[in-house]
Amino acid sequence: MTSSTVTPPAGRVTAPRRRRADDVAGLGKARAGLFVAPALIIIGIFLLFPAVWTVWLGMTDYRLTGLQAASPEFVGLENYTEALTDPAFWNSLWLTLIFVVASGIVGQTLIGFGLAWSVRNITGWVKALIEGLVLAAWVIPASVASFLWLALLDRRTGTVNALLGTEGAAWLIDHPMEAIILFNIWVGTAFSMQLFSSALSAVPPSQIESAKMVGASGWQQLRDVIVPNIKGHILTNTLLITLWTFNTFTPYLVTAGGPNGKTEILSVYIYETAIPGGQLGLGAAISLIMLLINLVIALGYVRVAQGRRKR
Amino acid sequence: MAGITATQLVKEYPGGVRGVDEVDVEIRDGEFFALLGPSGCGKTTLLRSIAGLEAITSGSLVIGDRDVTNAEPGVRGVAMVFQDYALFPHMDVGDNIAYPLRIKRVKRDERRGTAAKVADGLSLQGLIERRPGQLSGGQQQRVALARAVATRPDVLLLDEPLSNLDARLRLEARTFLKELQRDLGVTTVFVTHDQAEALALADRIAVMRAGKLQQIGTPREVFQRPNNTFVAGFIGSNPMNLLPAQVRESRLAVGDATVSLPPGTEQLVREGQDVVWGIRPEYVRWVTAEEAGAIPAEVSVVENLGASVLIVVNAGDRKLQVAVPEDQEPAPGDRGWIVPQLSKTLLFDAETTERIG
Amino acid sequence: MTATPAKTGPVTSVARNRTVRQYVARVLFAVLMTLVGVLFALPMVWLVLAPFDATPTLSLEWPDWTLDNFARLAENPYALRSIGNSLILGVGTMVIVVGLGALAAYAMSRIRIPGRDGILYALLLLSSIVTGTAAMVPTFQIITQLGLINNYVGVLLVLAGGILPTVIFILKDFMDSIPKSYEESARLYGAGPFRILRDVVAPIARPGLAFISIWTIVQVWGNFLVPFILLRSPDLQPAAVLMYTFYTESGQADLRLISTFALLFSAPVLIIYFVVNRRYGFRFHGGIKS
Ligand SMILES: Nc1ncnc2c1ncn2[C@@H]1O[C@H](COP(=O)(O)OP(=O)(O)OP(=O)(O)O)[C@@H](O)[C@H]1O
Ligand SMILES: [Mg+2]
């Protein structure tokens, strides 16, 4: 769905509040309530309610078809024990971890920063071209992007095989995880690149110049001036990238979780369990576990951001 | 046209700050009334309460013969010029001026006509089609005025309308404003923290401090007979000299020197009372030969004000400011005498800070 | 300018060392950039070239130029309809989201509601957590219960629910930055809240509203999961889902059709995005697509 987000500056939660505009238009509480209500109702039914509903659903044996579809029964924590004792779940969680760390935290963040750092001092068409390509990969619809990668890695006539002279190499079967990791980097790096670009341009030039004056090398400038200045951005970037990568369903379009579940990351696992597999109750239970993990990540971030503020 | 009467007006902000504290004021029909005071004293709050932009906590407000304490701003017959002018950036000057008429459902042609007429009156010819962003500060200010007067309001409220202009333009706009107000005869309440502006423009001035009224009076009254030491110090381009003193044997001991009591206060003080003695720098003379009532002093600082010179002198252990004509300018370190003009001296109670007499 | 040889010696050698180092660094840098560029470019070049090739293959090659593929695509009954469907979903969601979002953002920006910022922030976070796959099952179930499976209303509402928090967040930011004296002066002349919203707030917030509208369409345009789960009939499917079925369900993939469709489907968002990007800068990039 829409893993949409603006980029709240790190630690926004605790930022000092500016004095707010009062009811300058004479709206009044009642009318304000009317203005807010429709949006809140939609959000409530289609965003909040599903989240809460997951809790109940996860405790039933609800199924897509058959007897339990008509009259699901309450089964308590059975789904949770089933999920948590199923090696397939732990395997999926492990795959997700690898996927998030390799493609999100390491891949997108590092390459995104590298790109932002590299193009910051060049101008003209080279910069425009590189940024444009990276952005385009981010903007094109996921189903197109995944097809482009299927074509790229095709066994018989794929471009990669043609270029490397490795005709017949089945990348998606022999190295499926590496493939979706690269694919996800390709798709998502633009976000980090842009975030870091704007962060870098906001570092006061005078600080970098003072570092240069005392003879700091490029690496030292990075460590002593740039990174401390953009810490907040790094934090925000890491949180968003982690959440997005954790929840993304797009790799399904490339490998459909296969072969043999080797790329069945959590989102794909839930889909496979719930919709084709028909076990809605179990799917909901795993969804809830996923929500909780998301929440832990988000709270951890808020913690770190707050800690940073206090210092 | 209408007068404004506020009775025991209180505006308390959430959190307990009293922006306006029990203010009683009666502004007469057609009067040019200034609200004067230091930053944060509640001038804007009082103005906005009159406009209805702030809900009054307690007290009552009457405009003309209507009690508008709880009325919506739109029905009070007031217009306001905001400090930032609040011209709508997406409308041209004509539409801006005509906007109040549009709300009142005046037809387009008619309101453009009225707008053009008002604009002419404020020398805005030829600017009707421009957007606010394409105008100078002075022009923007006049457009804001034009919009405010376009509906012929009963009351015109101005919140520091001149403070965004540079010093020279401000003088021009001041004259302009005065003329406009006289021509329209509209009751005008004018907020400023610049005492010179208030003295120059207003028929009457209300001086405020921390939400409370300190004094209401004509410019002459607040200048010459300030109610308390706060008003005395606030009004005047050079603040009044306010020196702690003590009543001794029907005279006043100011540091080492003694001076006569201000006329008319003799019966109002008691022996040994602690008071504050006030005299404006303009009413003290600097002389180089001793004369009756003169106090010996030494010049420590000389500030050039153009046509006159402001000197700071040490008289014993007290410091005073004295305004001296340019041709009598002394040098720092010069010794001489200062002579206060007795009839212009004032006496304040040291405890209550109220004027005595 | 004269300098003694004794002094120039060491100076030039330092300079020479430096230039050599810099030169090597520059070449390495260029090579690296080229590699990254190639990685990002390969799939993209195929996307642009293949549709114009009379006989496209999966690998990158110089096309045998033709426009026939587009003519053929026009004849496919599903292709154009699906683009139309995407448009309906995009514009429909946009109308709901911008209309309701603007009202809500305005009220939230102007009325003190205790804990408002916290709630908004929580919703925003939730929308980026819940809208992934985690809420897939309950969403599916609610829509089934409401009888809205295979119905655009269901898709529109679910999409709107996911997007609204972000919309409100961004629009509120916009409205917060509108000086309150604008509204106050309109109010003094007797304008009511709706009037003020229409005459003053909306025109001033127009860049924000325009941006949000485009952003919403782009979001919905590429959204695969929601229609994939909630729609059944092929005639209702938007382009994002059709694209997927094109290359998974047909036995022998028709590359001429797929490549052309892929380009046609991607072009609008690419164009919109680069125009918006130029106009509004990074402030909003975070949200434009994930
Ligand atoms: N919305 C508000 N909420 C709480 N306190 C407020 C609010 N607006 C003003 N105040 C407080 O009320 C007092 C009076 O403010 P006001 O704006 O009326 O001052 P002012 O005399 O107009 O000052 P200035 O010359 O700086 O404009 C101040 O202490 C201010 O901090
Ligand atoms: Mg003020």
Side-chain angles (χ1 to χ4, degrees), chain B residues 44 83 159-160:
Chain B
T44 300
Q83 189 172 347
D159 192 356
E160 311 212 16

Side-chain angles (χ1 to χ4, degrees), chain A residues 30-289:
Chain A
R31 226 191 258 104
L34 273 181
F35 276 29
V36 178
L40 284 192
I41 289 172
I42 291 190
I43 294 174
I45 298 180
F46 298 100
L47 187 68
L48 284 183
F49 186 63
V52 178
W53 191 243
T54 312
V55 179
W56 184 81
L57 212 56
M59 293 197 251
T60 67
D61 62 351
Y62 195 73
R63 279 178 162 275
L64 199 53
T65 52
L67 195 60
Q68 291 95 329
S71 55
E73 264 175 38
F74 184 78
V75 295
L77 296 179
E78 211 168 89
N79 284 326
Y80 292 91
T81 28
E82 187 180 341
L84 293 175
T85 51
D86 186 351
F89 168 77
W90 291 105
N91 179 46
S92 169
L93 196 59
W94 174 241
L95 291 176
T96 311
L97 189 71
I98 297 176
F99 179 67
V100 169
V101 171
S103 80
I105 300 176
V106 176
Q108 289 184 15
T109 305
L110 284 190
I111 296 183
F113 182 83
L115 281 169
W117 177 257
S118 311
V119 300
R120 80 192 189 291
N121 285 331
I122 54 177
T123 46
W125 68 270
V126 182
K127 179 177 174 142
L129 181 73
I130 291 179
E131 285 188 338
L133 279 172
V134 177
L135 276 176
W138 191 46
V139 171
I140 56 169
S143 45
V144 172
S146 50
F147 180 73
L148 294 179
W149 274 71
L150 286 175
L152 187 72
L153 298 176
D154 189 71
R155 187 171 193 164
R156 274 167 298 141
T157 52
T159 307
V160 168
N161 281 341
L163 282 181
L164 298 180
T166 50
E167 203 156 321
W171 300 101
L172 287 174
I173 292 176
D174 299 336
H175 304 282
M177 196 40 137
E178 290 85 340
I180 61 166
I181 287 173
L182 272 181
F183 167 71
N184 194 47
I185 292 176
W186 186 81
V187 167
T189 296
F191 177 79
S192 304
M193 179 184 80
Q194 295 191 83
L195 188 92
F196 286 128
S197 277
S198 80
L200 286 176
S201 65
V203 175
S206 61
Q207 290 192 16
I208 302 175
E209 276 155 16
S210 338
K212 272 189 195 149
M213 304 263 274
V214 300
S217 67
W219 169 246
Q220 285 168 327
Q221 288 170 34
L222 191 66
R223 188 193 58 197
D224 300 333
V225 180
I226 311 280
V227 172
N229 259 303
I230 63 170
K231 258 194 188 132
H233 293 88
I234 296 177
L235 216 57
T236 305
N237 177 73
T238 313
L239 169 81
L240 295 177
I241 294 291
T242 309
L243 287 179
W244 289 342
T245 313
F246 197 87
N247 291 306
T248 181
F249 185 67
T250 322
Y252 178 82
L253 305 181
V254 180
T255 60
N260 282 330
K262 276 191 202 155
T263 55
E264 207 168 67
I265 52 173
L266 217 46
S267 58
V268 177
Y269 182 65
I270 294 175
Y271 172 77
E272 292 282 355
T273 308
I275 307 219
Q279 294 173 282
L280 292 180
L282 181 59
I286 308 170
S287 292
L288 190 69
I289 298 175

Side-chain angles (χ1 to χ4, degrees), chain C residues 81-282:
Chain C
R81 184 185 300 156
S82 77
I83 301 246
N85 290 342
S86 288
L87 206 63
I88 295 175
L89 286 180
V91 173
T93 313
M94 178 201 83
V95 170
I96 298 178
V97 151
V98 174
L100 302 186
L103 283 180
Y106 181 61
M108 286 192 153
S109 154
R110 296 306 191 237
I111 294 282
R112 265 168 227 269
I113 301 167
R116 172 190 59 187
D117 289 358
I119 294 173
L120 217 51
Y121 195 77
L123 280 183
L124 191 68
L125 212 57
L126 198 74
S127 75
S128 68
I129 293 173
V130 171
T131 51
T133 29
M136 199 157 43
V137 177
T139 306
F140 177 78
Q141 214 207 350
I142 286 169
I143 297 299
T144 312
Q145 293 289 317
L146 292 175
L148 293 176
I149 287 286
N150 207 25
N151 185 330
Y152 276 170
V153 176
V155 180
L156 287 176
L157 289 174
V158 171
L159 287 170
I163 293 176
L164 264 172
T166 316
V167 168
I168 296 176
F169 199 85
I170 294 178
L171 283 183
K172 181 180 159 290
D173 228 37
F174 254 96
M175 306 215 170
D176 280 350
S177 69
I178 298 177
K180 55 179 184 171
S181 55
Y182 289 151
E183 287 150 71
E184 286 176 340
S185 72
R187 196 172 164 214
L188 278 180
Y189 303 124
F194 274 104
R195 194 85 220 218
I196 294 176
L197 193 60
R198 200 186 71 198
D199 288 353
V200 181
V201 178
I204 295 177
R206 193 153 57 198
L209 293 172
F211 165 76
I212 277 295
S213 309
I214 290 171
W215 177 83
T216 305
I217 292 181
V218 172
Q219 284 279 341
V220 174
W221 193 256
N223 192 306
F224 169 79
L225 193 61
V226 178
F228 182 61
I229 295 177
L230 299 183
L231 294 177
R232 290 271 163 270
S233 14
D235 335 343
L236 292 182
Q237 297 295 358
V241 178
L242 189 73
M243 178 74 208
Y244 179 68
T245 42
F246 264 173
Y247 62 78
T248 49
E249 279 169 16
S250 51
Q252 177 61 40
D254 180 348
L255 284 181
R256 292 166 66 188
L257 189 67
I258 294 182
S259 61
T260 317
F261 186 65
L263 184 63
L264 207 67
F265 175 36
S266 309
V269 281
L270 281 172
I271 293 167
I272 285 178
Y273 183 75
F274 281 98
V275 171
V276 170
N277 186 27
R278 185 138 294 178
R279 277 195 64 172
Y280 296 99
F282 186 67

Side-chain angles (χ1 to χ4, degrees), chain B residues 11-313:
Chain B
K11 168 64 196 177
E12 194 170 300
Y13 285 110
V17 179
R18 286 203 164 187
V20 170
D21 198 358
E22 298 181 356
V23 164
D24 284 303
V25 62
E26 198 179 330
I27 299 166
R28 296 174 199 134
D29 187 9
E31 188 170 38
F32 201 149
F33 192 87
L35 288 175
L36 177 65
S39 186
C41 72
K43 309 176 294 283
T44 300
T45 307
L46 179 53
L47 199 72
R48 291 167 54 84
S49 304
I50 295 173
L53 294 171
E54 303 284 354
I56 293 167
T57 310
S58 68
S60 73
L61 183 72
V62 175
I63 297 181
D65 46 14
R66 286 191 307 150
D67 185 327
V68 294
T69 312
N70 297 310
E72 273 291 302
V75 303
R76 296 188 180 200
V78 298
M80 181 159 168
V81 173
F82 290 80
Q83 189 172 347
D84 60 2
Y85 308 143
L87 297 176
F88 303 132
H90 55 285
M91 297 181 190
D92 68 15
V93 166
D95 283 341
N96 259 296
I97 298 177
Y99 185 73
L101 300 168
R102 189 166 136 204
I103 297 289
K104 299 200 161 49
R105 297 177 198 282
V106 176
K107 292 215 178 51
R108 190 180 155 76
D109 290 343
E110 197 183 329
R111 56 177 202 251
R112 285 299 284 203
T114 312
K117 224 184 294 158
V118 176
D120 278 358
L122 284 120
S123 6
L124 288 165
Q125 305 90 325
L127 302 178
I128 291 288
E129 313 266 297
R130 293 222 206 149
R131 292 281 174 100
Q134 302 164 323
L135 300 177
S136 74
Q139 289 165 342
Q140 287 182 21
Q141 188 239 11
R142 291 207 298 275
V143 175
L145 271 174
R147 183 174 68 181
V149 300
T151 47
R152 297 247 145 208
D154 296 335
V155 172
L156 180 61
L157 306 174
L158 309 169
D159 192 356
E160 311 212 16
L162 305 181
S163 66
N164 278 349
L165 305 179
D166 67 43
R168 181 164 291 276
L169 204 53
R170 198 176 307 172
L171 285 184
E172 253 171 54
R174 203 152 97 177
T175 318
F176 187 86
L177 204 59
K178 181 104 183 168
E179 281 171 0
L180 180 76
Q181 198 269 344
R182 205 179 42 213
D183 293 348
L184 296 177
V186 58
T187 312
T188 303
V189 185
F190 174 94
V191 162
T192 177
H193 58 251
D194 180 348
Q195 53 83 31
E197 213 166 271
L199 291 177
L201 283 174
D203 295 328
R204 282 194 309 153
I205 298 174
V207 183
M208 292 182 72
R209 177 196 196 183
K212 288 192 182 290
L213 273 185
Q214 304 294 305
Q215 182 168 7
I216 301 180
T218 62
R220 176 140 296 131
E221 281 164 2
V222 291
F223 185 79
Q224 297 197 330
R225 299 193 65 75
N227 270 358
N228 54 35
T229 52
F230 172 78
V231 178
F234 195 77
I235 302 273
S237 24
N238 308 313
M240 186 181 282
N241 293 302
L242 293 167
L243 304 175
Q246 205 175 35
V247 180
R248 242 179 251 151
E249 296 161 5
S250 298
R251 281 178 68 79
L252 210 51
V254 186
D256 309 331
T258 47
V259 295
S260 303
L261 281 169
T265 60
E266 298 85 351
Q267 306 306 316
L268 303 170
V269 293
R270 23 167 240 283
E271 177 69 17
Q273 184 178 0
D274 284 323
V275 294
V276 174
W277 183 64
I279 178 78
R280 292 202 175 272
E282 293 82 0
Y283 299 142
V284 184
R285 279 183 302 128
W286 169 257
V287 293
T288 46
E290 188 167 8
E291 56 183 85
I295 304 164
E298 182 185 333
V299 178
S300 74
V301 177
V302 178
E303 284 175 26
N304 198 326
L305 301 180
S308 66
V309 176
L310 188 71
I311 60 174
V312 180
V313 301

